[in-house]
Structures are given as C-alpha cells and as structure tokens.
C-alpha cells in the first residue's frame, strides 16, 4: 500500500513522517512555502527522542502523482477545506481505469464529524479516523509531535460502521509506525467523543490559553451543552474517561525543549491561515442544538468569536475569557 497524505501539516505530517520512517511508501501533498521547504530540505520532524530529517516524496498538486490501485488517500486538511480537496482527488484517474472516487479508499484523519459524509458523496470506500495526536505545524517544513511512547492514537473503522481487511491493513501499518491504531466498528462514536473534547480548542485559540478558572468554566459549559445536544439527538459518543484510558501510558505528552503543545485552532490563528475549523466543532453542536431544540448559547458565542478573530486577523489571545463570559450572559451570539 502507498499512502497519499492530502494536507501535510501537524496531523498529516506526523502520520506521513512516521509511516515513511517505518519503511512504508508515502507521498506528502503540500502547498506554498511548506511544499518548497519539504521539497528542498525534507520533513523536519521533532519527537521526544530528537529531530528527524525525513526525505519524504512531496507533490504540490494532484496532477503531480499518478494514482494506482494499491493507494490509500489520507485526508488531513481542515474541514473547511475538505470539499475542494475531495472534488479534486475523487476525479483523478487511476492506473488501469476508473477514478479515485470509484477505486481508492479514503481515510478522514480529521477533527469533527462532517468530513466522512462529505467524502461518501464522492468516494465509495470511506474510513473514519479518530485522531488523538497532539502535534504542531507553525513553520514551513517542520512538524512537532511531543507524545510517547506512541506518537498518537488513531482509531479507525469504516464509515458509517463496520470493519474490513482494508481497515486492518492500515491499522497494521500504523502500529508499525509508532501509532496505537485500534480498529473499531463504531468509529464515529469515538469521533463524537473527540468532538466534545475539541470544543475547548476555540477557547485556547481566542483567549490564548484555556488554563485559568474563567476559561476552564467556559470549556466545561461548552462540553455540557455538547453532551446535552448529543443525548437529545440520540448520538452515542465515547466518554472522556474512555478516551483517557486509551491514551494513558501510551500517548503521553513529553517535554521537548522550546516547544509547547497547542491546539489546531490556536495554530490556525497563530499562522494567520485566514480560516478556522470552529464551524465544524462548536458549530456542529450549535447545528444539532437547533435541530433538536436544545439551547447552545456558549458554543454559539464561541463560534462567533472564532469567526470574528479570523475576520479581524487577531492572533491568539485577542479576547479574554471574561469578555466571552460577558457576551454569553448578554446573549451576544451573532
């Protein structure tokens, strides 16, 4: 199997880098300065045991790689970029006939729960992946993954339910590449559980940190709303204790000099990417709340604050937790 990693930032770079290091065939897909740095200098991949320089093949466009029947596409872009990527890759021809959408499995290694539905409109074989992989990508050509002894936990299964030989083969390759990779028939239950945890991302991003008491209160209230919404919708989700048990002693943060673990939304604001995935995290809870008649003022306010931060080109820390709490109390959500 050859792995085509679509989006080679923090998550894609970590997965692609580890697979390449373990001897698997990998192609990274990147763009702009990141592509140029990977092409010219390789992937600078920092883990607790040191920094690796990995000469992973990299392309800038789908047209630059000839797809074959034994490929696996790993989608690792943010959800707001999924449709454009899926439309482009699904139509690509595969050696021997047919298109990628018809013949090649696609794995959604992404936060949120919308990507799989988007993918299944375009690909016959779609696999969900619950990604528990603290990592960062702030500079071109560089990815930092500060966990050990496993780099991350990647729960994989068919979408919407089930397992098969392809999922097990991918999991086997990931296990050989320093990942914990359970195969689950209910992968979306894991992804909904991870969604609740990701509701904290925007607090860290907008406030710069989620460590003080007021920020922690916001996080707790956002998660409580999320759980209430999922319960009302009848959606099963892995509990926080279950996720903690999965990673405890296996995917533990380990100190790396000069590095500090930051969430993906914080990184989006810090890098000035011009977008943020909050609409598909907190916004998913807002959407489900509206569908099932459950008020979600905390998540709606956080969603709005994220949009505002992107629109005004704020860096992390542009708003305080106290200001967000005031907006919630005053009903400022639009």
């Amino acid at each position: 199997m050859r792995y085509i990693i679509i989006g080679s930032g923090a998550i894609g770079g970590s997965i692609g880098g580890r697979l390449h290091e373990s001897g698997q065939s990998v192609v990274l897909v990147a763009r702009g300065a990141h592509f140029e740095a990977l092409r010219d200098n390789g992937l600078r991949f920092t883990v607790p045991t040191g920094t690796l320089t990995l000469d992973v093949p990299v392309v800038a466009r789908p047209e630059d790689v000839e797809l074959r029947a034994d490929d696996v596409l790993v989608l690792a872009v943010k959800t707001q970029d999924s449709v454009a990527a899926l439309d482009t890759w699904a139509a690509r021809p595969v050696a021997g006939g047919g298109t990628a959408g018809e013949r090649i499995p696609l794995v959604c290694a992404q936060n949120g729960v919308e990507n799989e539905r988007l993918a299944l409109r375009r690909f016959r074989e779609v696999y969900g992946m619950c990604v528990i992989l603290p990592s960062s990508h702030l500079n071109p050509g560089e990815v930092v993954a500060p966990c050990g002894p496993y780099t991350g936990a990647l729960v994989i299964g068919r979408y919407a339910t089930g397992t098969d030989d392809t999922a097990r083969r991918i999991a086997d390759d990931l296990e050989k590449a320093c990942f914990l990779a359970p195969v689950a028939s209910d992968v979306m239950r894991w992804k909904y559980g991870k969604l609740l945890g990701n509701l904290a991302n925007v607090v860290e991003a907008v406030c710069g940190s989620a460590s003080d008491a007021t920020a922690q209160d916001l996080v707790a209230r956002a998660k409580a709303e999320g759980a209430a919404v999922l319960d009302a919708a009848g959606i099963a989700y892995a509990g926080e204790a279950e996720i903690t048990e999965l990673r405890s002693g296996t995917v533990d943060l380990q100190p790396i000099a000069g590095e500090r673990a930051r969430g993906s939304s914080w990184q989006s604001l810090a890098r000035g990417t011009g977008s943020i995935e909050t609409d598909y995290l907190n916004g998913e809870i807002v959407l489900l709340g509206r569908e099932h008649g459950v008020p979600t003022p905390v998540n709606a306010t956080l969603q709005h604050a994220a949009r505002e931060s992107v629109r005004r080109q704020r860096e992390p820390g542009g708003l305080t937790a106290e200001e967000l709490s005031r907006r919630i109390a005053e009903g400022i959500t639009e």
Side-chain angles (χ1 to χ4, degrees), residues 164-209:
D164 61 14
D165 287 342
T166 297
R168 287 185 283 271
R169 289 179 64 194
I170 294 170
D172 286 344
D173 287 344
L174 290 169
E175 290 276 3
K176 296 171 186 174
C178 206
F179 291 105
L180 186 66
V183 178
S185 61
D186 57 350
V187 68
M188 295 309 294
R189 186 179 71 88
W190 285 90
K191 296 202 71 164
Y192 274 103
K194 177 75 185 312
L195 172 66
L196 292 181
N198 286 143
L199 300 179
N201 290 16
V202 65
V203 177
E204 180 197 32
V206 171
C207 301
S209 170

Side-chain angles (χ1 to χ4, degrees), residues 2-225:
R2 181 178 64 166
Y3 293 90
I4 313 294
I5 312 294
I6 305 168
S8 300
I11 301 303
S14 295
I15 294 174
R18 280 302 199 193
L19 285 169
H20 173 83
E21 182 195 17
S22 71
Q24 297 296 323
S25 181
V26 175
V27 177
L28 301 178
V29 182
R31 58 186 180 183
H34 190 42
F35 162 73
E36 294 172 0
L38 293 171
R39 178 196 60 196
D40 296 342
N41 305 308
L43 173 64
R44 183 176 172 84
F45 185 47
T46 300
V47 294
T49 55
T51 297
L52 308 169
T53 300
L54 303 173
D55 189 20
V56 191
V58 60
V59 300
R61 305 176 306 158
E63 294 81 4
D64 296 332
V65 58
E66 183 179 354
L67 296 180
R68 58 198 198 205
D70 68 339
D71 285 337
V72 174
L73 299 180
V74 179
L75 189 65
V77 300
K78 297 293 196 304
T79 306
Q80 62 268 27
D81 299 320
S82 286
V83 168
L86 289 165
D87 282 345
T88 300
W89 284 92
R92 294 298 303 155
V94 178
T99 65
E102 295 165 341
R103 298 188 58 196
I104 295 181
L106 179 131
V107 180
C108 295
Q110 301 162 283
N111 286 332
V113 294
E114 181 65 17
N115 297 288
E116 288 79 6
R117 293 184 72 249
L118 295 172
L120 199 60
R121 297 177 188 274
R122 298 157 173 86
F123 284 80
R124 287 182 180 172
E125 292 186 67
V126 175
Y127 297 81
M129 179 178 281
C130 177
V131 178
I132 303 170
L133 203 178
S135 54
S136 61
H137 163 56
L138 295 174
N139 299 306
E142 299 180 6
V143 171
V144 178
C147 285
Y150 289 95
T151 299
L154 306 173
V155 183
I156 185 171
R158 283 191 66 95
Y159 179 74
T161 60
T163 63
D164 61 14
D165 287 342
T166 297
R168 287 185 283 271
R169 289 179 64 194
I170 294 170
D172 286 344
D173 287 344
L174 290 169
E175 290 276 3
K176 296 171 186 174
C178 206
F179 291 105
L180 186 66
V183 178
S185 61
D186 57 350
V187 68
M188 295 309 294
R189 186 179 71 88
W190 285 90
K191 296 202 71 164
Y192 274 103
K194 177 75 185 312
L195 172 66
L196 292 181
N198 286 143
L199 300 179
N201 290 16
V202 65
V203 177
E204 180 197 32
V206 171
C207 301
S209 170
S211 59
D212 66 58
T214 304
Q216 285 294 300
D217 178 65
L218 286 175
V219 169
R221 293 166 65 190
K223 290 182 178 180
E225 280 185 2

Side-chain angles (χ1 to χ4, degrees), residues 257-333:
E259 300 291 344
R260 181 178 177 185
R262 298 288 195 178
S264 57
S265 297
W266 187 97
Q267 294 176 52
S268 291
L269 291 186
R271 291 169 52 215
T273 60
S275 67
I276 195 168
E277 63 184 338
T278 312
D279 282 348
Y280 299 96
L281 302 177
N282 306 78
E284 179 71 25
I285 298 303
V286 173
L287 170 63
L288 288 171
R290 290 168 178 167
E291 288 179 342
H292 296 278
V294 179
T296 57
V298 176
N299 283 284
T301 299
L302 295 177
Q303 182 185 13
H304 177 262
R307 290 175 177 168
E308 179 185 301
S309 293
V310 170
R311 186 173 66 252
R312 298 187 179 181
Q313 300 181 321
R314 289 184 178 134
E315 294 184 354
L319 289 171
T320 66
E322 288 76 12
E323 168 63 15
L324 291 175
S325 295
R326 182 191 66 80
R327 293 184 181 189
I328 294 167
E330 295 178 3
I332 303 174
T333 60

